[in-house]
Short mmCIF file of all heavy atoms in Angstrom, two decimals:
data_model
loop_
_atom_site.label_atom_id
_atom_site.label_comp_id
_atom_site.label_asym_id
_atom_site.label_seq_id
_atom_site.Cartn_x
_atom_site.Cartn_y
_atom_site.Cartn_z
N GLY A 204 -31.37 27.80 8.31
CA GLY A 204 -32.14 26.82 9.12
C GLY A 204 -33.54 26.61 8.50
O GLY A 204 -33.93 27.44 7.73
N ILE A 205 -34.16 25.56 8.95
CA ILE A 205 -35.43 25.13 8.43
C ILE A 205 -36.59 25.26 9.53
O ILE A 205 -36.31 24.83 10.65
CB ILE A 205 -35.44 23.72 7.79
CG1 ILE A 205 -34.43 23.69 6.76
CG2 ILE A 205 -36.82 23.28 7.44
CD1 ILE A 205 -34.19 22.24 6.25
N ALA A 206 -37.77 25.82 9.20
CA ALA A 206 -38.89 25.76 10.00
C ALA A 206 -40.06 25.50 9.11
O ALA A 206 -40.48 26.44 8.52
CB ALA A 206 -39.02 26.91 10.86
N TRP A 207 -40.61 24.31 9.08
CA TRP A 207 -41.79 24.06 8.35
C TRP A 207 -42.98 24.10 9.37
O TRP A 207 -43.09 23.33 10.35
CB TRP A 207 -41.83 22.61 7.66
CG TRP A 207 -40.80 22.58 6.55
CD1 TRP A 207 -40.12 23.49 5.89
CD2 TRP A 207 -40.16 21.32 6.14
NE1 TRP A 207 -39.33 23.13 5.01
CE2 TRP A 207 -39.22 21.74 5.05
CE3 TRP A 207 -40.35 19.99 6.39
CZ2 TRP A 207 -38.42 20.77 4.43
CZ3 TRP A 207 -39.60 19.06 5.65
CH2 TRP A 207 -38.65 19.57 4.60
N LEU A 208 -43.81 25.01 9.08
CA LEU A 208 -44.98 25.38 10.06
C LEU A 208 -46.22 24.92 9.52
O LEU A 208 -46.48 25.15 8.34
CB LEU A 208 -44.93 26.82 10.31
CG LEU A 208 -43.60 27.48 10.82
CD1 LEU A 208 -43.81 28.96 11.00
CD2 LEU A 208 -43.09 26.71 12.08
N ILE A 238 -48.36 36.60 5.02
CA ILE A 238 -47.01 35.96 5.13
C ILE A 238 -46.33 35.93 3.77
O ILE A 238 -45.20 36.24 3.51
CB ILE A 238 -47.10 34.56 5.63
CG1 ILE A 238 -47.45 34.60 7.00
CG2 ILE A 238 -45.76 33.70 5.44
CD1 ILE A 238 -47.78 33.23 7.69
N THR A 292 -36.88 33.93 4.86
CA THR A 292 -37.94 33.68 3.82
C THR A 292 -38.99 32.79 4.55
O THR A 292 -38.81 31.97 5.42
CB THR A 292 -37.48 33.08 2.63
OG1 THR A 292 -36.85 31.74 3.01
CG2 THR A 292 -36.40 33.95 2.01
N ALA A 293 -40.31 33.09 4.04
CA ALA A 293 -41.45 32.25 4.42
C ALA A 293 -42.37 32.08 3.30
O ALA A 293 -42.99 33.13 2.89
CB ALA A 293 -42.11 32.93 5.66
N ASN A 294 -42.53 30.94 2.76
CA ASN A 294 -43.36 30.63 1.60
C ASN A 294 -44.43 29.69 1.92
O ASN A 294 -44.23 28.52 2.14
CB ASN A 294 -42.54 30.23 0.42
CG ASN A 294 -41.55 31.26 -0.14
OD1 ASN A 294 -42.15 32.31 -0.55
ND2 ASN A 294 -40.38 31.06 -0.16
N PRO A 295 -45.68 30.16 1.73
CA PRO A 295 -46.88 29.20 1.89
C PRO A 295 -46.78 28.16 0.77
O PRO A 295 -46.61 28.60 -0.46
CB PRO A 295 -48.05 30.21 1.67
CG PRO A 295 -47.63 31.54 2.13
CD PRO A 295 -46.20 31.54 1.57
N THR A 296 -46.94 26.85 1.02
CA THR A 296 -46.75 25.84 0.02
C THR A 296 -48.04 24.95 -0.02
O THR A 296 -48.12 24.29 -1.11
CB THR A 296 -45.59 24.99 0.45
OG1 THR A 296 -45.66 24.54 1.80
CG2 THR A 296 -44.25 25.80 0.33
N MET A 297 -48.87 24.82 1.02
CA MET A 297 -49.97 23.94 0.88
C MET A 297 -51.14 24.56 1.68
O MET A 297 -50.99 25.25 2.78
CB MET A 297 -49.53 22.61 1.68
CG MET A 297 -48.47 21.96 0.97
SD MET A 297 -47.92 20.33 1.96
CE MET A 297 -49.43 19.36 1.84
N THR A 314 -49.56 25.15 5.10
CA THR A 314 -48.18 24.79 5.49
C THR A 314 -47.35 25.87 4.88
O THR A 314 -47.55 26.34 3.74
CB THR A 314 -47.81 23.40 4.89
OG1 THR A 314 -48.68 22.44 5.36
CG2 THR A 314 -46.36 23.09 5.25
N VAL A 315 -46.36 26.34 5.73
CA VAL A 315 -45.32 27.47 5.25
C VAL A 315 -44.03 26.92 5.51
O VAL A 315 -43.69 26.40 6.48
CB VAL A 315 -45.57 28.67 6.16
CG1 VAL A 315 -44.77 29.75 5.65
CG2 VAL A 315 -47.12 29.06 6.16
N ASP A 316 -43.15 27.00 4.34
CA ASP A 316 -41.78 26.73 4.44
C ASP A 316 -40.98 27.90 4.67
O ASP A 316 -40.86 28.89 3.98
CB ASP A 316 -41.41 26.17 3.03
CG ASP A 316 -40.01 25.68 2.96
OD1 ASP A 316 -39.23 25.95 3.91
OD2 ASP A 316 -39.57 25.06 1.92
N CYS A 317 -40.47 27.86 6.00
CA CYS A 317 -39.67 29.10 6.43
C CYS A 317 -38.16 28.72 6.49
O CYS A 317 -37.89 27.54 6.94
CB CYS A 317 -40.13 29.53 7.92
SG CYS A 317 -41.84 29.98 7.99
N ARG A 318 -37.30 29.59 6.16
CA ARG A 318 -35.93 29.40 6.31
C ARG A 318 -35.34 30.60 6.92
O ARG A 318 -35.64 31.73 6.55
CB ARG A 318 -35.36 29.26 4.90
CG ARG A 318 -35.95 28.17 3.98
CD ARG A 318 -35.76 26.73 4.51
NE ARG A 318 -36.53 25.73 3.81
CZ ARG A 318 -36.00 24.79 3.15
NH1 ARG A 318 -34.68 24.59 3.05
NH2 ARG A 318 -36.78 23.89 2.44
N LEU A 327 -37.49 35.38 12.83
CA LEU A 327 -38.46 34.57 12.02
C LEU A 327 -39.72 34.33 12.59
O LEU A 327 -40.83 34.68 12.24
CB LEU A 327 -37.83 33.39 11.43
CG LEU A 327 -38.79 32.53 10.57
CD1 LEU A 327 -39.02 32.93 9.30
CD2 LEU A 327 -38.45 30.96 10.64
N ILE A 331 -43.58 35.79 12.17
CA ILE A 331 -44.64 34.94 11.73
C ILE A 331 -45.74 35.11 12.78
O ILE A 331 -46.95 35.14 12.27
CB ILE A 331 -44.17 33.47 11.81
CG1 ILE A 331 -43.23 33.24 10.56
CG2 ILE A 331 -45.32 32.57 11.57
CD1 ILE A 331 -43.78 33.48 9.18
N SER A 381 -29.39 28.53 0.47
CA SER A 381 -30.73 28.77 0.86
C SER A 381 -31.44 27.50 1.42
O SER A 381 -32.31 27.64 2.31
CB SER A 381 -31.49 29.50 -0.18
OG SER A 381 -31.69 28.60 -1.36
#
Side-chain angles (χ1 to χ4, degrees):
I205 297 174
W207 294 340
L208 305 180
I238 290 172
T292 57
N294 286 305
T296 55
M297 298 172 65
T314 302
V315 183
D316 183 349
C317 301
R318 307 294 173 120
L327 175 78
I331 293 294
S381 60

